[in-house]
Amino acid sequence: MKVLVINAGSSSLKYQLYDMTNEGVLASGRVERIGMDSSIVTHEPADKPEVRDVSEILDHVTAVKRVIDMLTHSEHGVLGAMTEIDAVGHRVVHGGEVFKGSVLVTQEVKLEIKKLFDLAPLHNPAHMMGITAVEANMPGVPQVVVFDTAFHQTMPATSYLYPIPKVLYRRHKIRRYGFHGTSHSYVSDNAARLLGLPLESLKMVTCHIGNGASCAAILDGKSFDTSMGMTPLEGLMMGTRSGDIDPAIVPFVMNKEELTLNEVNSMLNKHSGMLAISGISSDMREVTEAMTGGDENAKLAFDMYTYRLRKYIGAYAAAMNGLDVLVFTAGVGENAPDVRAAVCDGITFFGVELDHELNARRSKEARVISTPGSRVKVLVVPTNEELLIARDTYAIVNETK
Ligand SMILES: Nc1ncnc2c1ncn2[C@@H]1O[C@H](COP(=O)(O)OP(=O)(O)O)[C@@H](O)[C@H]1O
Ligand SMILES: CC(=O)OP(=O)(O)O
Ligand SMILES: [Mg+2]
């Protein structure tokens, strides 16, 4: 069975084609700048060279058509025909309280995802475009949706409620949902396997730090708390997102700077975080490079980023009354030993002891980077949200056959 995994954003669409007989990736790629004058398609077949194509792709329907063209291309393709694709799995960021696991796409499911547009205005409308684009290009192919929020649906009310009037929860479902759940679930499971210990017996903190970043406290194998909230803005300092701030700053700034709701939203989501403090970039690589070159703003951004991460790890260790395993994943977590060191070297008091040589070693494999004597095991586990989406899609489509 072949499964196409799609992660549709507002102006981009990432894809991976899996052969589920061996979970091998046949091809992957991305369409960027959808709706702009020069859109870029980058297609990477597993055993052939990468191809890039610049053309005008005005919408997601055309983008999916281009992906199918690439996958079935006589030269760069990996499929004889489109009909070889048995199912499509989509990443959907917001599943609200309705979706506690992955589901087959039906009219009702689409309606529910639409109802959640308000809660994830940047993400869910784009995912819906991806789903309808697949319907238009590949009629009759079963589709499955896998939600970032689903894994966190096990959080207790003490974690997910905000201390604000309860009527807001009843009327508008304002609560913590949490995101990156597919990743937190995948890496916690893999970390336990690597340690050869049952996941249910471990108190774990997983740090998914990429462009977006979140921490999760995992207790008894379930999400107990997580740093992102009703939207992916709360919690850690991120590339361009502020993370936690005093909520009173919002009306204050709107008043003083005469900003509209959209403007203040954009300020906190797109013009804050590492980008704002470093004044250089949202990309950790560029910030670290500037810091090494002596740039003080870059150093401040780096220090704030790692300080805030330490605070969350400490908070979750207290919340769970202990910590056995600390996991780093995603772009920064997997590739930035200096970030891991800055975090771990500041929390030695509760039994974190990093092996600096292991930490500095480059590898794409899941691995332990703490010393044998470290009471808390520290691991790097590369995330693979796409693989988990492919697995869920495969299982659900097989179940419903
Ligand atoms: N070698 C590296 N060193 C430091 N940071 C890195 C490195 N490689 C990637 N990153 C960081 O990872 C981020 C992207 O993470 P990723 O998980 O791919 O994000 P997303 O899925 O949200 O696009 C980049 O913004 C960059 O800061
Ligand atoms: C939910 C979220 O923040 O996703 P990403 O990290 O892909 O932006
Ligand atoms: Mg990501």
Side-chain angles (χ1 to χ4, degrees):
M1 183 172 179
K2 297 201 173 78
V3 173
L4 179 64
V5 174
I6 290 183
N7 182 352
S10 53
S11 69
S12 72
L13 188 145
K14 296 189 207 157
Y15 62 95
Q16 274 197 17
L17 181 68
Y18 282 90
D19 180 351
M20 295 312 286
T21 48
N22 59 359
E23 295 190 337
V25 177
L26 298 173
S28 61
R30 56 192 183 275
V31 186
E32 290 161 292
R33 298 173 54 85
I34 299 170
M36 297 176 211
D37 48 4
S38 53
S39 314
I40 308 161
V41 183
T42 314
H43 175 68
E44 298 174 50
D47 305 317
K48 298 177 205 174
E50 176 185 301
V51 272
R52 263 167 87 88
D53 172 70
V54 179
S55 59
E56 194 177 55
I57 298 177
L58 287 178
D59 54 29
H60 286 68
V61 175
T62 319
V64 169
K65 187 166 182 320
R66 290 288 292 124
V67 171
I68 296 167
D69 287 348
M70 282 295 194
L71 292 171
T72 55
H73 193 274
S74 56
E75 203 180 323
H76 321 298
V78 293
L79 295 174
M82 184 181 85
T83 47
E84 287 177 36
I85 301 172
D86 301 290
V88 178
H90 294 266
R91 176 195 185 199
V92 175
V93 160
H94 220 307
E97 285 187 324
V98 188
F99 297 108
K100 305 206 186 296
S102 308
V103 290
L104 198 68
V105 175
T106 60
Q107 286 307 328
E108 293 78 48
V109 166
K110 284 197 289 183
L111 214 62
E112 289 297 336
I113 296 174
K114 271 193 191 145
K115 284 193 207 158
L116 295 162
F117 278 10
D118 266 359
L119 288 179
L122 299 177
H123 290 96
N124 274 28
H127 304 319
M128 187 52 83
M129 284 194 277
I131 294 167
T132 31
V134 169
E135 277 174 354
N137 285 285
M138 309 165 72
V141 173
Q143 301 192 69
V144 167
V145 277
V146 179
F147 299 94
D148 262 46
T149 46
F151 179 64
H152 299 300
Q153 279 294 299
T154 51
M155 283 188 290
T158 39
S159 299
Y160 74 68
L161 281 181
Y162 291 113
I164 56 175
K166 266 181 145 171
V167 64
L168 295 171
Y169 171 60
R170 286 198 298 273
R171 257 191 221 150
H172 307 293
K173 292 287 172 213
I174 294 176
R175 52 160 283 180
R176 173 182 315 287
Y177 291 96
F179 301 89
H180 297 139
T182 313
S183 179
H184 289 295
S185 162
Y186 180 85
V187 301
S188 55
D189 192 43
N190 272 32
R193 275 172 211 273
L194 187 74
L195 294 169
L197 295 166
L199 178 61
E200 299 71 31
S201 71
L202 297 169
K203 292 174 178 173
M204 207 183 279
V205 170
T206 47
C207 307
H208 174 109
I209 44 178
N211 246 326
S214 66
C215 272
I218 298 175
L219 188 62
D220 302 328
K222 295 190 290 246
S223 175
F224 178 71
D225 203 350
T226 189
S227 60
M228 281 181 168
M230 182 182 87
T231 77
L233 180 58
E234 193 183 344
L236 298 169
M237 175 170 164
M238 310 179 210
T240 62
R241 294 174 228 169
S242 63
D244 297 336
I245 61 165
D246 180 346
I249 294 171
V250 174
F252 187 87
V253 169
M254 286 178 77
N255 184 31
K256 291 279 181 194
E257 298 281 323
E258 296 182 13
L259 296 186
T260 63
L261 270 176
N262 274 342
E263 286 165 342
V264 77
N265 236 331
S266 161
M267 176 190 93
L268 295 173
N269 277 290
K270 298 186 180 149
H271 306 285
S272 295
M274 296 279 284
L275 176 64
I277 300 298
S278 70
I280 293 168
S281 170
S282 62
D283 192 309
M284 184 57 86
R285 282 165 291 201
E286 289 175 34
V287 172
T288 320
E289 206 180 293
M291 178 173 80
T292 316
D295 189 289
E296 282 183 12
N297 290 320
K299 175 157 172 41
L300 179 61
F302 181 93
D303 288 348
M304 283 174 66
Y305 185 94
T306 50
Y307 172 67
R308 284 175 168 241
L309 202 45
R310 281 207 305 273
K311 286 211 289 188
Y312 262 102
I313 297 165
Y316 287 164
M320 293 188 288
N321 194 18
L323 179 65
D324 302 309
V325 183
L326 175 63
V327 184
F328 289 96
T329 192
V332 176
E334 291 166 29
N335 301 302
D338 36 7
V339 171
R340 297 192 298 255
V343 170
C344 292
D345 290 347
I347 50 174
T348 49
F349 81 99
F350 57 64
V352 171
E353 198 178 280
L354 200 64
D355 180 322
H356 287 273
E357 209 231 313
L358 288 180
N359 180 45
R361 215 176 276 173
R362 298 228 161 255
S363 162
K364 293 260 169 248
E365 302 295 315
R367 60 203 183 273
V368 176
I369 56 166
S370 48
T371 63
S374 182
R375 211 187 42 72
V376 177
K377 303 292 167 223
V378 185
L379 278 75
V380 178
V381 180
T383 194
N384 197 340
E385 291 156 289
E386 291 78 13
L387 177 59
L388 211 62
I389 295 173
R391 281 181 185 163
D392 272 15
T393 305
Y394 178 72
I396 287 172
V397 168
N398 271 336
E399 246 167 49
T400 46
K401 256 184 186 168

